[in-house]
Amino acid sequence: MNQVHLIGGEKGGVGKSVMSRVFAQYCIDREIPFAGFDSDRSHGSFTRFYSEFTKHLILEDFQSLDQLAETALTGNRLQVVVDLAAQSSTSLRGWMEDTGVLELFREAGVMVTCWHILDDGKDSLEMLGRLLDDFKTGVRYVVVLNHGRGSRFDAFFASREKNRAVELGAKIIELPKLSEGSMRLVDHSNSSFWAAAHGGTNGEQLLGLLDRQRVKIWLKKVYAELDKLGLQQN
């Protein structure tokens, strides 16, 4: 079964691109076939760090968005990972209505999963509610509590949005925090998480010993969360 993973959150700076990047690294390390698409209009960090696997999308161009549908419909046991830009829901819904692509996916047995990357702010929680309103039972959901963008998620666990997500079968996972200094070094190295943790393509050390160790420990924790999604069983 092919799967399309729409990794969003609507607001900027919530950690969508970090989640896309570490999900891509997870697929590489677990030998799960995947293809990446980056719709970020400004930074394009998913493309920058995983250019070998990623293509750029223009959300306002329906023909550009068609690329991800065609990839999902022609692949074999493929994970299609889409890093959505902030405020992308209007364009995405317009494309889906124009093409009827969700029905096309259902007929072809392609699973669509909407990821909502959540910080601990009220607006992020409200945006989760709007996502559930938009798609209801038409897709699957993954809610990611990003500890790199928040330390207390009590409001989420006590919320109506959380209850609705659970009723719709959402899986709730956590994205542990990697220290800001280590994440900054990874970003400045322009390298994948694997290269940052183990050395570049020529064996050069991009990070110091302890920062490499921090990245390795962080990846192990993130992978334990992603294992809960059961991708290798599909």
Side-chain angles (χ1 to χ4, degrees):
M1 178 182 293
N2 293 347
Q3 297 191 51
V4 175
H5 302 271
L6 302 173
I7 300 183
E10 274 301 275
K11 61 187 292 189
V14 77
K16 301 181 295 295
S17 292
V18 170
M19 188 70 249
S20 299
R21 287 160 54 194
V22 75
F23 188 26
Q25 189 64 62
Y26 174 84
C27 290
I28 293 169
D29 291 344
R30 292 288 196 266
E31 297 184 343
I32 300 171
F34 83 99
F37 290 93
D38 189 345
S39 68
D40 196 310
R41 305 174 186 86
S42 54
H43 303 295
S45 62
F46 192 22
T47 304
R48 179 157 60 99
F49 293 103
Y50 290 89
S51 59
E52 183 180 349
F53 304 93
T54 307
K55 296 179 180 179
H56 185 66
L57 283 180
I58 302 172
L59 287 170
E60 297 78 14
D61 182 349
F62 287 1
Q63 276 69 39
S64 180
L65 282 167
D66 288 350
Q67 295 179 76
L68 80 86
E70 291 169 0
T71 299
L73 291 165
T74 57
N76 182 24
R77 299 176 66 85
L78 187 68
Q79 310 298 319
V80 179
V81 183
V82 186
D83 181 7
L84 291 174
Q87 300 179 351
S88 61
S89 61
T90 300
S91 297
L92 195 62
R93 287 199 310 272
W95 170 68
M96 289 179 173
E97 292 170 1
D98 179 71
T99 59
V101 71
L102 289 182
E103 181 179 353
L104 189 61
F105 282 156
R106 282 193 293 270
E107 292 173 353
V110 175
M111 182 189 304
V112 178
T113 301
C114 289
W115 294 53
H116 187 79
I117 316 303
L118 195 77
D119 64 15
D120 59 1
K122 181 181 178 181
D123 54 348
S124 191
L125 196 54
E126 292 173 348
M127 289 173 184
L128 171 59
R130 288 199 286 271
L131 174 69
L132 300 175
D133 287 340
D134 285 343
F135 290 102
K136 299 180 176 65
T137 59
V139 300
R140 296 190 181 187
Y141 300 94
V142 175
V143 179
V144 181
L145 309 183
N146 185 2
H147 290 270
R149 291 293 183 268
S151 57
R152 296 185 62 86
F153 291 92
D154 307 51
F156 166 73
F157 285 109
S159 70
R160 177 173 174 269
E161 288 82 3
K162 180 261 184 182
N163 292 335
R164 287 180 61 206
V166 170
E167 289 172 0
L168 290 169
K171 294 191 176 182
I172 301 170
I173 65 173
E174 301 189 30
L175 180 60
K177 180 178 180 179
L178 177 63
S179 73
E180 292 181 8
S182 298
M183 183 64 79
R184 191 179 307 113
L185 287 171
V186 173
D187 288 350
H188 288 175
S189 71
N190 288 323
S191 62
S192 67
F193 285 118
W194 187 94
H198 298 90
T201 55
N202 296 318
E204 71 273 20
Q205 298 304 330
L206 304 172
L207 277 66
L209 176 61
L210 292 182
D211 281 311
R212 294 200 305 274
Q213 185 66 9
R214 290 186 183 100
V215 175
K216 290 177 184 177
I217 292 172
W218 179 74
L219 285 175
K220 184 176 181 181
K221 292 178 180 178
V222 178
Y223 285 11
E225 292 293 309
L226 292 174
D227 282 342
K228 297 175 182 178
L229 304 181
L231 295 178
Q232 293 178 292
Q233 300 172 14
N234 294 316

